[in-house]
Amino acid sequence: MSDVKPPSKRTQKARETRGRILQAALELFVLDGYGATNLQDVAAKAGVAVQTIYFVFGNKRALLKELVDVTIAGDDEPVATMDRPWYVNALSAGTAQDMLRAYVAGTASVLERVAPIGKVLDGACASDPEVAALWPHDVDPRYVVQERAAKALAGKPGARAEVSAEEAADVLYGLLSPELYLLFVHERGWPRDRWERWVLRTLIARLCAE
């Protein structure tokens, strides 16, 4: 019998409130932009008092930071991307092609969530140095994720021998970028599954042996 207790009603209610605020912020930031959206707007859309947002998140910058983190992860659990089951399972695939199939599918789900907020974040960082400071530029976390994937790929049967792990990381970083996803899916109107098939074929052709 499990000793894990279900969350209390108070904890569940607080989590639901937090979720409503984040969803309201996402919709307004994407629609109107970070700078044009104030916390009163977010509070009204979420159906809470503005003081609740200050209590839960502190300020608008912290709200944006939490929104980006939760959007990337897909939930509010404190689990890093490289510890997520989809990522671990993809990197444990037996061959290079199998790894890329699983990796592209998992990354597509992340990009579908992240791409809209990415443009919001770019604008916020450009207009507010304190927002930019929340994401230091010395190490790009997204590149770190791709670099580990590239190193795993390089050691698998079927990987193209002449492609170094460093080059493979660059290829993954570019082709699986939010910017390229936005270009094809949002601007050119490709369905997600079409983008997924295209990027998988492109990665296999570049990174896997014939």
Side-chain angles (χ1 to χ4, degrees):
M1 181 180 295
S2 174
D3 293 328
V4 178
K5 296 181 180 180
S8 66
K9 289 184 178 179
R10 184 174 182 177
T11 300
Q12 184 63 29
K13 184 177 180 180
R15 192 168 186 173
E16 290 173 356
T17 299
R18 189 182 191 90
R20 289 204 314 275
I21 294 170
L22 289 169
Q23 182 60 36
L26 174 62
E27 293 176 12
L28 290 173
F29 287 164
V30 170
L31 180 65
D32 300 328
Y34 173 80
T37 301
N38 59 55
L39 292 184
Q40 287 79 7
D41 297 329
V42 177
K45 190 170 186 63
V48 301
V50 71
Q51 290 83 1
T52 301
I53 298 180
Y54 285 113
F55 177 78
V56 174
F57 296 99
N59 55 44
K60 191 167 81 164
R61 297 184 187 94
L63 173 59
L64 177 64
K65 178 66 165 62
E66 179 73 7
L67 176 61
V68 172
D69 291 346
V70 169
T71 301
I72 291 172
D75 55 51
D76 58 1
E77 297 297 327
V79 180
T81 297
M82 292 187 291
D83 295 324
R84 293 270 164 178
W86 76 264
Y87 186 90
V88 174
N89 292 338
L91 268 60
S92 66
T95 68
Q97 285 203 16
D98 287 343
M99 177 187 152
L100 286 175
R101 288 190 185 94
Y103 194 68
V104 168
T107 302
S109 295
V110 175
L111 289 174
E112 188 172 41
R113 298 190 303 268
V114 169
I117 198 67
K119 295 181 73 173
V120 172
L121 181 58
D122 288 344
C125 288
S127 63
D128 188 340
E130 292 189 47
V131 171
L134 296 173
W135 286 273
H137 293 290
D138 52 342
V139 178
D140 186 336
R142 194 170 69 79
Y143 183 81
V144 173
V145 169
Q146 305 299 1
E147 185 178 41
R148 180 183 287 189
K151 289 178 179 178
L153 183 74
K156 294 187 183 296
R160 191 180 287 272
E162 67 272 21
V163 177
S164 67
E166 182 180 8
E167 181 179 343
D170 289 344
V171 171
L172 291 172
Y173 184 76
L175 288 178
L176 298 178
S177 66
E179 294 83 2
L180 197 62
Y181 182 89
L182 276 172
L183 177 65
F184 281 100
V185 176
H186 287 237
E187 294 187 28
R188 300 307 308 155
W190 283 25
R192 171 183 151 175
D193 59 347
R194 181 184 176 187
W195 172 88
E196 203 169 327
R197 290 193 304 270
W198 173 82
V199 80
L200 178 59
R201 288 196 306 268
T202 304
L203 287 172
I204 287 176
R206 186 70 192 90
L207 303 178
C208 295
E210 295 180 2

